[in-house]
Amino acid sequence: MKPETTSQWKALSVLASKQGDTEPEQLKPLTVDAAGLHADLTKQQLTPEVLAALIALAGEMGLPEAIEAQFDGAVINHSEDRPALHTALRAPPDQMPEVAREAAGVLQKVLELAEAVRGGSWRGATGAAITDVVHIGIGGSHLGPELAVESLRQPHTGGPRIHFVANIDGAALGDALAGLNPERTLFVIVSKSFSTLETRVNAESARRWFLERNGDAAFIARHFIAISTNLQAAAAFGIPDTNVYPMWDWVGGRYSVWSPVGIPLALALGRQGFLEFLAGGRAMDEHFRGTALEQNLPVLMALAGIWNYNFLGVTNQAILPYAERLRLLPDFLQQLIMESNGKSVHQDGSDVSVHTMPVVWGGRGTNGQHAYHQLLHQGTRSFAADFILVAEGAPPAEHHRWLNANALAQSQAMLLGAGDENPHRRVRGGKPTTTLVLPALTPASLGALIALYEQVVFCQGVIWDINSFDQWGVELGKRLAIPIFEQLGGRSALSQDGSTRGLIEYLTTKD
Ligand code: F6P
Protein backbone atom coordinates (compact mmCIF):
# COMPACT_ATOMS: atom_id res chain seq x y z
CA MET A 1 0.00 0.00 0.00
CA LYS A 2 1.26 3.48 -0.82
CA PRO A 3 1.57 5.44 2.43
CA GLU A 4 0.11 8.65 1.02
CA THR A 5 -3.16 6.81 0.27
CA THR A 6 -3.78 6.06 3.96
CA SER A 7 -6.19 8.13 5.98
CA GLN A 8 -3.49 8.85 8.57
CA TRP A 9 -1.06 10.26 5.99
CA LYS A 10 -3.76 12.71 5.00
CA ALA A 11 -4.45 13.52 8.65
CA LEU A 12 -0.74 14.11 9.25
CA SER A 13 -0.56 16.46 6.24
CA VAL A 14 -3.32 18.55 7.78
CA LEU A 15 -1.60 18.55 11.17
CA ALA A 16 1.67 19.60 9.56
CA SER A 17 0.03 22.49 7.71
CA LYS A 18 -1.32 23.78 11.01
CA GLN A 19 1.83 23.23 13.03
CA GLY A 20 3.98 26.27 13.60
CA ASP A 21 7.06 25.97 15.78
CA THR A 22 6.10 24.01 18.87
CA GLU A 23 6.75 26.09 21.98
CA PRO A 24 9.13 24.23 24.29
CA GLU A 25 6.59 24.31 27.12
CA GLN A 26 4.10 22.47 24.86
CA LEU A 27 6.45 19.50 24.56
CA LYS A 28 5.37 16.61 26.73
CA PRO A 29 8.15 14.37 28.07
CA LEU A 30 8.64 11.43 25.75
CA THR A 31 11.23 9.02 27.07
CA VAL A 32 11.70 5.27 26.64
CA ASP A 33 14.07 2.79 28.26
CA ALA A 34 14.91 -0.20 26.11
CA ALA A 35 17.60 -2.87 26.34
CA GLY A 36 19.57 -0.73 28.78
CA LEU A 37 19.45 2.40 26.60
CA HIS A 38 17.61 5.54 27.65
CA ALA A 39 16.04 7.61 24.90
CA ASP A 40 14.62 11.10 25.13
CA LEU A 41 12.46 12.12 22.18
CA THR A 42 10.94 15.10 23.99
CA LYS A 43 12.79 17.54 21.74
CA GLN A 44 11.13 16.09 18.64
CA GLN A 45 8.21 18.18 17.37
CA LEU A 46 5.73 15.49 18.32
CA THR A 47 2.53 16.79 19.84
CA PRO A 48 0.25 14.09 21.30
CA GLU A 49 -2.06 14.51 18.30
CA VAL A 50 0.79 14.01 15.84
CA LEU A 51 2.12 11.03 17.73
CA ALA A 52 -1.30 9.37 17.80
CA ALA A 53 -1.67 9.84 14.05
CA LEU A 54 1.83 8.44 13.42
CA ILE A 55 1.08 5.36 15.52
CA ALA A 56 -2.14 4.88 13.61
CA LEU A 57 -0.21 5.25 10.34
CA ALA A 58 2.14 2.46 11.46
CA GLY A 59 -0.94 0.30 12.04
CA GLU A 60 -2.43 1.17 8.67
CA MET A 61 0.84 0.26 6.95
CA GLY A 62 0.85 -3.12 8.69
CA LEU A 63 3.91 -2.59 10.88
CA PRO A 64 2.93 -5.05 13.66
CA GLU A 65 2.46 -7.83 11.10
CA ALA A 66 5.67 -6.86 9.31
CA ILE A 67 7.65 -7.11 12.56
CA GLU A 68 6.45 -10.68 13.04
CA ALA A 69 7.19 -11.52 9.41
CA GLN A 70 10.76 -10.28 9.85
CA PHE A 71 11.44 -12.42 12.93
CA ASP A 72 9.64 -15.45 11.49
CA GLY A 73 11.90 -15.51 8.46
CA ALA A 74 9.26 -14.65 5.87
CA VAL A 75 10.54 -13.56 2.47
CA ILE A 76 10.59 -9.80 3.07
CA ASN A 77 13.40 -9.02 0.63
CA HIS A 78 11.16 -9.47 -2.38
CA SER A 79 13.47 -8.29 -5.16
CA GLU A 80 16.00 -10.94 -4.11
CA ASP A 81 13.37 -13.46 -2.97
CA ARG A 82 14.81 -14.09 0.49
CA PRO A 83 14.22 -13.42 4.16
CA ALA A 84 16.28 -10.90 6.14
CA LEU A 85 17.16 -12.93 9.17
CA HIS A 86 20.09 -11.20 10.84
CA THR A 87 18.01 -11.24 14.04
CA ALA A 88 18.40 -15.04 14.08
CA LEU A 89 22.16 -14.62 14.54
CA ARG A 90 21.60 -13.05 17.96
CA ALA A 91 18.57 -15.14 18.93
CA PRO A 92 18.79 -17.96 21.50
CA PRO A 93 19.54 -21.19 19.55
CA ASP A 94 16.17 -22.73 20.50
CA GLN A 95 14.36 -19.77 18.94
CA MET A 96 16.31 -19.72 15.68
CA PRO A 97 14.19 -20.28 12.59
CA GLU A 98 15.03 -23.60 10.88
CA VAL A 99 16.96 -21.97 8.04
CA ALA A 100 19.34 -20.34 10.52
CA ARG A 101 20.13 -23.36 12.74
CA GLU A 102 23.55 -23.85 11.15
CA ALA A 103 24.58 -20.41 12.39
CA ALA A 104 24.87 -21.51 16.02
CA GLY A 105 27.54 -24.11 15.19
CA VAL A 106 29.43 -21.66 13.00
CA LEU A 107 29.43 -19.09 15.80
CA GLN A 108 31.09 -21.63 18.10
CA LYS A 109 33.82 -22.24 15.51
CA VAL A 110 34.41 -18.52 15.08
CA LEU A 111 34.72 -18.06 18.83
CA GLU A 112 37.11 -21.01 19.08
CA LEU A 113 39.29 -19.54 16.35
CA ALA A 114 39.30 -16.14 18.07
CA GLU A 115 40.30 -17.70 21.38
CA ALA A 116 43.00 -19.78 19.68
CA VAL A 117 44.56 -16.71 18.05
CA ARG A 118 44.28 -14.68 21.26
CA GLY A 119 45.68 -17.47 23.38
CA GLY A 120 48.53 -18.27 20.97
CA SER A 121 47.48 -21.84 20.14
CA TRP A 122 46.76 -20.79 16.54
CA ARG A 123 50.23 -20.07 15.25
CA GLY A 124 51.68 -19.02 11.94
CA ALA A 125 53.34 -21.57 9.65
CA THR A 126 56.77 -21.04 11.21
CA GLY A 127 55.39 -21.47 14.72
CA ALA A 128 55.28 -17.75 15.55
CA ALA A 129 52.29 -16.41 17.46
CA ILE A 130 49.94 -14.06 15.61
CA THR A 131 50.39 -10.43 16.63
CA ASP A 132 48.57 -8.70 13.75
CA VAL A 133 45.33 -9.35 11.89
CA VAL A 134 44.63 -7.65 8.57
CA HIS A 135 40.90 -7.55 7.87
CA ILE A 136 40.16 -7.05 4.16
CA GLY A 137 36.56 -6.24 3.25
CA ILE A 138 34.40 -3.27 2.29
CA GLY A 139 30.93 -1.91 2.99
CA GLY A 140 29.02 -4.25 5.25
CA SER A 141 32.05 -6.50 5.37
CA HIS A 142 34.04 -3.69 6.95
CA LEU A 143 32.07 -0.92 8.61
CA GLY A 144 30.38 -2.91 11.38
CA PRO A 145 33.50 -4.84 12.46
CA GLU A 146 35.64 -1.70 12.47
CA LEU A 147 33.03 0.26 14.42
CA ALA A 148 32.75 -2.54 16.98
CA VAL A 149 36.50 -2.94 17.43
CA GLU A 150 37.22 0.79 17.60
CA SER A 151 34.37 1.32 20.07
CA LEU A 152 35.14 -1.52 22.45
CA ARG A 153 38.83 -2.36 22.29
CA GLN A 154 40.78 -1.18 25.30
CA PRO A 155 44.34 -1.84 26.43
CA HIS A 156 43.15 -4.49 28.92
CA THR A 157 41.06 -6.40 26.35
CA GLY A 158 44.24 -7.82 24.76
CA GLY A 159 44.27 -9.76 21.50
CA PRO A 160 46.18 -9.08 18.29
CA ARG A 161 46.38 -5.67 16.65
CA ILE A 162 43.69 -5.39 13.97
CA HIS A 163 44.19 -3.41 10.77
CA PHE A 164 41.25 -2.71 8.46
CA VAL A 165 41.73 -2.43 4.71
CA ALA A 166 38.69 -1.47 2.63
CA ASN A 167 39.65 1.07 -0.03
CA ILE A 168 41.17 -0.09 -3.30
CA ASP A 169 43.60 2.83 -3.04
CA GLY A 170 46.94 1.07 -2.61
CA ALA A 171 47.70 3.44 0.24
CA ALA A 172 45.17 1.60 2.42
CA LEU A 173 46.82 -1.81 2.08
CA GLY A 174 50.31 -0.32 1.99
CA ASP A 175 49.76 1.55 5.25
CA ALA A 176 48.29 -1.52 6.92
CA LEU A 177 51.14 -3.81 5.89
CA ALA A 178 53.94 -1.38 6.68
CA GLY A 179 56.10 -2.86 9.38
CA LEU A 180 54.15 -6.12 9.69
CA ASN A 181 55.95 -9.42 10.10
CA PRO A 182 54.35 -11.93 7.68
CA GLU A 183 55.17 -14.80 10.02
CA ARG A 184 52.98 -13.18 12.67
CA THR A 185 50.19 -11.87 10.43
CA LEU A 186 46.77 -13.41 9.85
CA PHE A 187 44.68 -12.15 6.92
CA VAL A 188 40.89 -12.27 7.21
CA ILE A 189 39.23 -11.88 3.81
CA VAL A 190 35.60 -10.93 4.27
CA SER A 191 33.29 -10.79 1.30
CA LYS A 192 29.80 -12.17 1.19
CA SER A 193 30.01 -12.49 -2.59
CA PHE A 194 33.80 -13.00 -2.79
CA SER A 195 33.61 -11.02 -5.99
CA THR A 196 33.69 -7.42 -4.78
CA LEU A 197 36.38 -5.64 -6.76
CA GLU A 198 38.06 -3.82 -3.90
CA THR A 199 38.26 -6.87 -1.68
CA ARG A 200 39.40 -9.17 -4.49
CA VAL A 201 42.19 -6.84 -5.59
CA ASN A 202 43.32 -6.09 -2.02
CA ALA A 203 43.25 -9.79 -1.12
CA GLU A 204 45.32 -10.72 -4.20
CA SER A 205 47.87 -8.03 -3.38
CA ALA A 206 47.99 -9.19 0.23
CA ARG A 207 48.60 -12.78 -0.87
CA ARG A 208 51.37 -11.59 -3.19
CA TRP A 209 52.96 -9.58 -0.35
CA PHE A 210 52.77 -12.63 1.88
CA LEU A 211 54.18 -15.10 -0.66
CA GLU A 212 57.02 -12.76 -1.66
CA ARG A 213 58.13 -12.86 1.96
CA ASN A 214 57.18 -16.37 3.01
CA GLY A 215 57.67 -18.17 -0.27
CA ASP A 216 55.68 -21.30 0.43
CA ALA A 217 52.06 -21.43 -0.83
CA ALA A 218 51.33 -24.11 1.78
CA PHE A 219 51.79 -21.41 4.43
CA ILE A 220 48.56 -19.75 3.23
CA ALA A 221 46.60 -22.26 5.32
CA ARG A 222 47.98 -20.78 8.55
CA HIS A 223 47.75 -17.15 7.48
CA PHE A 224 44.54 -16.66 5.49
CA ILE A 225 40.96 -17.23 6.49
CA ALA A 226 37.81 -16.19 4.62
CA ILE A 227 34.23 -15.40 5.45
CA SER A 228 31.88 -15.73 2.49
CA THR A 229 28.77 -17.30 1.01
CA ASN A 230 30.89 -18.15 -2.03
CA LEU A 231 32.90 -21.10 -0.75
CA GLN A 232 34.08 -22.05 -4.25
CA ALA A 233 35.63 -18.65 -4.93
CA ALA A 234 37.37 -18.70 -1.56
CA ALA A 235 38.77 -22.13 -2.40
CA ALA A 236 39.90 -20.91 -5.83
CA PHE A 237 41.75 -18.09 -4.07
CA GLY A 238 43.70 -20.79 -2.24
CA ILE A 239 42.08 -20.72 1.17
CA PRO A 240 41.44 -24.28 2.40
CA ASP A 241 37.88 -25.28 3.29
CA THR A 242 38.77 -25.55 6.95
CA ASN A 243 39.61 -21.84 6.98
CA VAL A 244 36.40 -20.68 5.30
CA TYR A 245 33.53 -19.60 7.55
CA PRO A 246 30.16 -19.40 5.83
CA MET A 247 27.85 -16.46 5.40
CA TRP A 248 24.28 -16.87 4.29
CA ASP A 249 22.17 -15.14 1.67
CA TRP A 250 19.56 -14.41 4.35
CA VAL A 251 21.95 -11.97 6.04
CA GLY A 252 22.49 -8.68 4.23
CA GLY A 253 26.05 -7.33 4.21
CA ARG A 254 25.19 -4.23 6.27
CA TYR A 255 23.42 -6.47 8.81
CA SER A 256 26.25 -8.96 9.07
CA VAL A 257 28.34 -7.82 12.03
CA TRP A 258 26.51 -10.45 14.12
CA SER A 259 27.75 -13.23 11.84
CA PRO A 260 31.29 -14.57 11.29
CA VAL A 261 31.89 -11.17 9.63
CA GLY A 262 32.19 -9.83 13.18
CA ILE A 263 35.26 -11.97 13.79
CA PRO A 264 37.50 -8.93 14.44
CA LEU A 265 35.37 -8.13 17.48
CA ALA A 266 35.77 -11.70 18.75
CA LEU A 267 39.54 -11.38 18.18
CA ALA A 268 39.62 -8.06 20.00
CA LEU A 269 37.43 -9.01 22.98
CA GLY A 270 37.35 -12.78 23.10
CA ARG A 271 34.39 -15.14 23.35
CA GLN A 272 32.64 -13.48 26.26
CA GLY A 273 32.72 -10.00 24.75
CA PHE A 274 31.27 -11.20 21.47
CA LEU A 275 28.49 -13.10 23.24
CA GLU A 276 27.64 -9.97 25.25
CA PHE A 277 27.47 -7.98 22.01
CA LEU A 278 24.97 -10.51 20.61
CA ALA A 279 23.00 -10.39 23.86
CA GLY A 280 22.70 -6.60 23.58
CA GLY A 281 21.27 -6.92 20.09
CA ARG A 282 18.93 -9.66 21.27
CA ALA A 283 17.65 -7.51 24.15
CA MET A 284 16.73 -4.77 21.69
CA ASP A 285 14.96 -7.31 19.46
CA GLU A 286 12.97 -8.56 22.45
CA HIS A 287 11.94 -5.01 23.28
CA PHE A 288 11.03 -4.36 19.64
CA ARG A 289 8.99 -7.50 19.26
CA GLY A 290 7.32 -7.41 22.65
CA THR A 291 6.42 -3.76 23.24
CA ALA A 292 3.33 -1.84 22.19
CA LEU A 293 3.99 0.66 19.39
CA GLU A 294 3.45 3.63 21.77
CA GLN A 295 6.40 2.61 23.96
CA ASN A 296 8.48 0.89 21.32
CA LEU A 297 11.80 2.69 20.84
CA PRO A 298 12.63 1.67 17.25
CA VAL A 299 9.05 2.44 16.26
CA LEU A 300 9.03 5.85 17.93
CA MET A 301 12.37 6.85 16.42
CA ALA A 302 11.19 5.68 13.01
CA LEU A 303 7.96 7.64 13.31
CA ALA A 304 9.77 10.78 14.44
CA GLY A 305 11.86 10.43 11.28
CA ILE A 306 8.79 10.01 9.06
CA TRP A 307 7.23 13.14 10.62
CA ASN A 308 10.42 15.12 10.10
CA TYR A 309 11.28 13.97 6.57
CA ASN A 310 7.80 13.70 5.07
CA PHE A 311 5.82 16.41 6.84
CA LEU A 312 8.22 19.00 8.28
CA GLY A 313 10.55 19.21 5.29
CA VAL A 314 13.67 17.98 7.09
CA THR A 315 16.31 17.34 4.44
CA ASN A 316 19.07 15.56 6.32
CA GLN A 317 19.70 13.47 9.40
CA ALA A 318 22.76 14.08 11.57
CA ILE A 319 24.28 11.38 13.78
CA LEU A 320 26.25 13.05 16.56
CA PRO A 321 27.99 10.65 18.94
CA TYR A 322 29.42 12.41 21.97
CA ALA A 323 31.93 9.65 22.58
CA GLU A 324 35.34 9.53 20.97
CA ARG A 325 35.18 5.75 20.68
CA LEU A 326 31.92 5.96 18.72
CA ARG A 327 33.51 8.18 16.09
CA LEU A 328 32.87 5.59 13.35
CA LEU A 329 29.16 5.33 14.14
CA PRO A 330 28.12 7.89 11.49
CA ASP A 331 30.04 5.96 8.79
CA PHE A 332 28.42 2.70 9.80
CA LEU A 333 24.94 4.21 9.96
CA GLN A 334 25.38 5.89 6.60
CA GLN A 335 25.61 2.50 4.96
CA LEU A 336 22.97 0.88 7.13
CA ILE A 337 20.42 3.62 6.57
CA MET A 338 21.21 4.97 3.11
CA GLU A 339 21.86 1.64 1.40
CA SER A 340 18.69 0.26 3.00
CA ASN A 341 16.24 3.11 2.55
CA GLY A 342 17.70 5.12 -0.32
CA LYS A 343 15.00 3.77 -2.65
CA SER A 344 12.47 5.26 -5.05
CA VAL A 345 10.20 2.36 -5.92
CA HIS A 346 7.69 0.50 -3.77
CA GLN A 347 7.86 -3.22 -3.12
CA ASP A 348 5.67 -3.80 -6.19
CA GLY A 349 8.02 -1.77 -8.41
CA SER A 350 5.81 1.29 -8.78
CA ASP A 351 7.36 4.72 -8.24
CA VAL A 352 7.18 6.23 -4.78
CA SER A 353 5.58 9.63 -4.68
CA VAL A 354 6.70 10.70 -1.21
CA HIS A 355 10.27 11.20 -0.08
CA THR A 356 12.17 8.26 1.38
CA MET A 357 15.38 8.59 3.41
CA PRO A 358 17.30 11.85 3.24
CA VAL A 359 21.08 12.04 3.46
CA VAL A 360 22.59 10.82 6.72
CA TRP A 361 25.82 12.37 7.91
CA GLY A 362 27.51 13.14 11.16
CA GLY A 363 30.61 13.24 13.26
CA ARG A 364 31.81 13.16 16.80
CA GLY A 365 31.05 15.79 19.36
CA THR A 366 32.56 18.00 20.55
CA ASN A 367 34.72 18.38 17.41
CA GLY A 368 31.74 19.17 15.19
CA GLN A 369 30.77 22.14 17.34
CA HIS A 370 33.91 23.89 16.13
CA ALA A 371 33.32 22.96 12.52
CA TYR A 372 29.79 22.51 11.13
CA HIS A 373 27.43 23.27 14.02
CA GLN A 374 27.37 26.92 12.91
CA LEU A 375 25.23 25.85 9.95
CA LEU A 376 23.02 23.76 12.22
CA HIS A 377 22.32 26.74 14.44
CA GLN A 378 21.99 29.49 11.85
CA GLY A 379 21.86 27.92 8.37
CA THR A 380 18.73 27.95 6.20
CA ARG A 381 18.31 24.18 5.83
CA SER A 382 16.36 22.10 8.29
CA PHE A 383 17.82 18.95 9.75
CA ALA A 384 17.16 16.41 12.46
CA ALA A 385 19.85 15.07 14.76
CA ASP A 386 20.43 12.09 17.01
CA PHE A 387 22.75 12.78 19.94
CA ILE A 388 24.37 9.65 21.36
CA LEU A 389 25.81 9.97 24.86
CA VAL A 390 27.40 7.63 27.36
CA ALA A 391 26.43 8.00 31.04
CA GLU A 392 29.59 6.49 32.42
CA GLY A 393 32.35 7.54 30.07
CA ALA A 394 36.10 7.56 29.85
CA PRO A 395 38.01 9.24 32.67
CA PRO A 396 38.98 11.79 33.84
CA ALA A 397 35.54 12.65 35.19
CA GLU A 398 35.94 16.34 34.44
CA HIS A 399 36.39 15.63 30.70
CA HIS A 400 33.38 13.39 30.67
CA ARG A 401 31.19 15.90 32.45
CA TRP A 402 32.20 18.60 29.94
CA LEU A 403 31.51 16.20 27.08
CA ASN A 404 27.98 15.51 28.24
CA ALA A 405 27.38 19.14 29.20
CA ASN A 406 28.21 20.09 25.64
CA ALA A 407 25.93 17.44 24.17
CA LEU A 408 23.00 18.62 26.27
CA ALA A 409 23.81 22.27 25.56
CA GLN A 410 23.83 21.65 21.81
CA SER A 411 20.46 19.91 21.75
CA GLN A 412 19.06 22.58 24.06
CA ALA A 413 20.33 25.33 21.76
CA MET A 414 18.79 23.54 18.79
CA LEU A 415 15.47 23.40 20.59
CA LEU A 416 15.31 26.80 22.25
CA GLY A 417 17.43 28.99 20.03
CA ALA A 418 18.05 32.50 21.34
CA GLY A 419 16.51 35.84 20.52
CA ASP A 420 18.82 38.79 19.99
CA GLU A 421 18.41 42.34 18.75
CA ASN A 422 21.37 41.70 16.49
CA PRO A 423 20.19 39.40 13.67
CA HIS A 424 23.70 38.04 13.22
CA ARG A 425 23.53 36.62 16.70
CA ARG A 426 19.98 35.29 16.61
CA VAL A 427 19.47 31.51 16.74
CA ARG A 428 16.09 30.28 15.64
CA GLY A 429 15.84 26.92 17.41
CA GLY A 430 12.94 24.51 16.90
CA LYS A 431 15.18 21.73 15.54
CA PRO A 432 14.03 18.15 16.18
CA THR A 433 16.55 16.04 18.06
CA THR A 434 16.61 12.71 19.88
CA THR A 435 19.06 11.96 22.67
CA LEU A 436 20.13 8.37 23.27
CA VAL A 437 22.08 7.52 26.42
CA LEU A 438 24.13 4.35 26.75
CA PRO A 439 24.79 3.39 30.38
CA ALA A 440 28.44 2.76 29.46
CA LEU A 441 30.16 1.80 26.24
CA THR A 442 30.05 -1.99 26.56
CA PRO A 443 29.56 -4.85 24.10
CA ALA A 444 25.94 -5.13 25.24
CA SER A 445 25.12 -1.44 24.87
CA LEU A 446 26.78 -1.23 21.45
CA GLY A 447 24.86 -4.33 20.35
CA ALA A 448 21.62 -2.76 21.53
CA LEU A 449 22.44 0.52 19.76
CA ILE A 450 23.19 -1.17 16.42
CA ALA A 451 20.08 -3.36 16.63
CA LEU A 452 18.04 -0.26 17.48
CA TYR A 453 19.06 1.49 14.28
CA GLU A 454 18.57 -1.68 12.23
CA GLN A 455 14.99 -1.82 13.43
CA VAL A 456 14.40 1.92 12.91
CA VAL A 457 15.45 1.36 9.30
CA PHE A 458 13.11 -1.61 9.05
CA CYS A 459 10.11 0.33 10.40
CA GLN A 460 10.66 3.24 8.04
CA GLY A 461 11.00 0.85 5.12
CA VAL A 462 7.65 -0.71 6.03
CA ILE A 463 5.96 2.68 6.26
CA TRP A 464 7.40 3.82 2.92
CA ASP A 465 6.58 0.35 1.48
CA ILE A 466 10.07 -0.04 0.06
CA ASN A 467 12.53 -2.93 0.17
CA SER A 468 15.14 -2.09 2.81
CA PHE A 469 17.19 -5.18 2.06
CA ASP A 470 18.39 -4.86 -1.52
CA GLN A 471 20.87 -2.37 -3.04
CA TRP A 472 20.62 -2.62 -6.81
CA GLY A 473 21.62 1.01 -7.26
CA VAL A 474 25.25 0.27 -6.45
CA GLU A 475 25.62 -2.07 -9.44
CA LEU A 476 25.64 0.52 -12.23
CA GLY A 477 28.86 2.20 -11.11
CA LYS A 478 30.53 -1.19 -10.72
CA ARG A 479 29.67 -2.05 -14.35
CA LEU A 480 30.80 1.30 -15.72
CA ALA A 481 34.17 1.05 -13.95
CA ILE A 482 35.20 -2.02 -15.97
CA PRO A 483 35.58 -0.41 -19.44
CA ILE A 484 36.98 2.76 -17.88
CA PHE A 485 39.65 0.67 -16.13
CA GLU A 486 40.58 -0.80 -19.53
CA GLN A 487 40.65 2.60 -21.15
CA LEU A 488 42.81 4.08 -18.39
CA GLY A 489 45.24 1.29 -19.24
CA GLY A 490 45.06 2.30 -22.91
CA ARG A 491 43.59 -1.07 -23.86
CA SER A 492 40.42 -0.22 -25.75
CA ALA A 493 38.78 2.51 -27.77
CA LEU A 494 37.29 5.47 -25.96
CA SER A 495 33.53 5.41 -26.08
CA GLN A 496 32.49 7.60 -23.19
CA ASP A 497 30.52 10.78 -22.83
CA GLY A 498 32.57 13.90 -23.55
CA SER A 499 33.41 14.69 -19.96
CA THR A 500 34.53 11.17 -19.04
CA ARG A 501 36.50 10.84 -22.31
CA GLY A 502 38.27 14.12 -21.59
CA LEU A 503 39.15 13.03 -18.06
CA ILE A 504 40.46 9.65 -19.30
CA GLU A 505 42.61 11.44 -21.87
CA TYR A 506 43.88 13.86 -19.25
CA LEU A 507 44.73 11.07 -16.79
CA THR A 508 46.39 8.84 -19.40
CA THR A 509 48.56 11.61 -20.79
CA LYS A 510 49.61 12.54 -17.23
CA ASP A 511 50.79 8.95 -16.55
O1 F6P B 1 28.50 -2.56 -3.27
C1 F6P B 1 27.68 -2.62 -2.17
C2 F6P B 1 27.89 -3.89 -1.41
O2 F6P B 1 27.31 -4.94 -2.09
C3 F6P B 1 27.34 -3.80 0.00
O3 F6P B 1 25.98 -4.01 0.05
C4 F6P B 1 28.16 -4.82 0.69
O4 F6P B 1 28.10 -4.68 2.08
C5 F6P B 1 29.52 -4.53 0.11
O5 F6P B 1 29.26 -4.19 -1.23
C6 F6P B 1 30.51 -5.65 0.19
O6 F6P B 1 30.04 -6.81 -0.43
P1 F6P B 1 30.74 -8.21 -0.22
O7 F6P B 1 30.66 -8.56 1.22
O8 F6P B 1 30.01 -9.16 -1.10
O9 F6P B 1 32.18 -8.06 -0.64
Side-chain angles (χ1 to χ4, degrees):
M1 189 191 338
K2 300 187 181 213
E4 69 278 14
T5 63
T6 61
S7 62
Q8 294 305 326
W9 195 275
K10 289 168 195 149
L12 285 160
S13 303
V14 173
L15 287 170
S17 67
K18 287 194 203 144
Q19 178 157 322
D21 280 353
T22 312
E23 292 306 319
E25 53 279 4
Q26 282 177 269
L27 298 174
K28 299 256 179 310
L30 180 56
T31 62
V32 177
D33 289 281
L37 308 190
H38 177 74
D40 183 350
L41 291 94
T42 310
K43 295 187 180 84
Q44 292 288 345
Q45 306 283 302
L46 294 171
T47 62
E49 225 180 349
V50 168
L51 192 54
L54 287 166
I55 301 274
L57 171 68
E60 266 194 281
M61 292 306 295
L63 183 59
E65 298 80 8
I67 293 172
E68 285 312 303
Q70 182 200 172
F71 283 100
D72 286 348
V75 173
I76 56 174
N77 176 355
H78 294 291
S79 76
E80 295 178 307
D81 194 26
R82 43 177 90 141
L85 257 181
H86 46 282
T87 53
L89 298 167
R90 53 203 188 219
D94 59 327
Q95 286 170 32
M96 278 187 181
E98 189 61 38
V99 64
R101 291 276 153 80
E102 180 198 351
V106 173
L107 171 65
Q108 289 317 318
K109 287 196 186 129
V110 166
L111 296 177
E112 277 161 25
L113 171 73
E115 288 297 343
V117 172
R118 285 170 61 83
S121 59
W122 175 291
R123 291 185 171 260
T126 60
I130 299 296
T131 55
D132 292 86
V133 171
V134 179
H135 175 108
I136 298 178
I138 198 164
S141 295
H142 158 234
L143 292 163
E146 190 176 27
L147 165 68
V149 169
E150 292 294 311
S151 299
L152 299 172
R153 152 154 273 172
Q154 302 232 17
H156 69 266
T157 47
R161 285 181 290 269
I162 302 178
H163 313 263
F164 289 91
V165 178
N167 200 342
I168 201 162
D169 184 338
L173 183 65
D175 288 355
L177 296 179
L180 295 193
N181 178 348
E183 292 182 35
R184 296 184 175 278
T185 301
L186 177 68
F187 291 91
V188 182
I189 315 297
V190 186
S191 177
K192 185 176 169 189
S193 58
F194 221 85
S195 64
T196 301
L197 174 81
E198 292 86 343
T199 303
R200 189 169 49 73
V201 172
N202 276 324
E204 281 163 5
S205 296
R207 182 178 54 187
R208 212 167 24 252
W209 176 91
F210 178 79
L211 289 176
E212 278 164 11
R213 285 156 184 81
N214 272 340
D216 191 339
F219 285 8
I220 296 259
R222 298 307 292 171
H223 292 270
F224 281 76
I225 67 166
I227 291 126
S228 186
T229 50
N230 189 346
L231 306 183
Q232 275 177 332
F237 180 87
I239 301 181
D241 286 0
T242 45
N243 288 8
V244 182
Y245 297 80
M247 273 274 286
W248 304 275
D249 67 3
W250 41 266
V251 180
R254 54 194 174 272
Y255 299 87
S256 66
V257 65
W258 319 96
S259 77
V261 171
I263 201 165
L265 183 63
L267 287 162
L269 301 187
R271 172 191 294 272
Q272 189 54 28
F274 195 78
L275 290 176
E276 287 170 17
F277 175 70
L278 295 183
R282 177 163 69 241
M284 185 56 75
D285 286 342
E286 284 164 0
H287 164 84
F288 180 52
R289 204 174 178 182
T291 308
L293 299 186
E294 292 77 2
Q295 278 302 308
N296 192 312
L297 183 54
V299 173
L300 291 173
M301 284 179 64
L303 293 176
I306 298 282
W307 178 237
N308 291 331
Y309 315 142
N310 291 113
F311 298 96
L312 301 186
V314 165
T315 57
N316 65 92
Q317 173 70 50
I319 303 292
L320 306 175
Y322 273 68
E324 181 67 17
R325 290 203 171 98
L326 286 175
R327 62 190 172 276
L328 296 180
L329 183 67
D331 301 41
F332 170 78
L333 290 182
Q334 276 186 322
Q335 189 205 12
L336 175 65
I337 302 172
M338 293 167 79
E339 209 173 65
S340 297
N341 284 348
K343 307 287 163 63
S344 51
V345 294
H346 288 298
Q347 292 274 15
D348 67 4
S350 60
D351 286 343
V352 300
S353 41
V354 300
H355 277 302
T356 58
M357 193 63 203
V359 166
V360 178
W361 65 282
R364 78 193 92 163
T366 57
N367 303 26
Q369 293 173 206
H370 303 276
Y372 42 74
H373 279 226
Q374 162 60 34
L375 181 149
L376 301 183
H377 293 303
Q378 288 191 313
T380 58
R381 298 285 184 171
S382 58
F383 65 92
D386 288 355
F387 285 82
I388 295 108
L389 281 66
V390 181
E392 196 185 310
E398 184 196 357
H399 286 238
H400 187 59
R401 201 182 333 152
W402 273 123
L403 182 67
N404 281 348
N406 272 280
L408 298 187
Q410 288 297 312
S411 62
Q412 189 176 51
M414 288 172 189
L415 173 71
L416 301 180
D420 201 297
E421 280 175 12
N422 180 348
H424 294 284
R425 290 173 176 269
R426 207 171 292 150
V427 175
R428 198 159 168 274
K431 306 295 191 305
T433 64
T434 291
T435 301
L436 294 172
V437 185
L438 279 59
L441 191 47
T442 62
S445 68
L446 183 70
L449 183 70
I450 292 176
L452 166 63
Y453 277 102
E454 287 180 352
Q455 299 298 9
V456 171
V457 165
F458 173 76
C459 293
Q460 291 180 337
V462 170
I463 289 168
W464 286 319
D465 183 33
I466 56 176
N467 185 351
S468 301
F469 298 104
D470 62 9
Q471 61 285 321
W472 295 104
V474 300
E475 298 304 322
L476 174 61
K478 292 182 189 176
R479 280 202 304 278
L480 294 177
I482 295 167
I484 295 176
F485 174 78
E486 296 297 328
Q487 289 158 18
L488 283 170
R491 282 203 287 271
S492 67
L494 295 170
S495 61
Q496 309 292 336
D497 64 279
S499 164
T500 309
R501 191 167 54 242
L503 288 165
I504 292 171
E505 279 166 358
Y506 182 81
L507 287 167
T508 45
T509 50
K510 283 273 167 199
D511 268 352

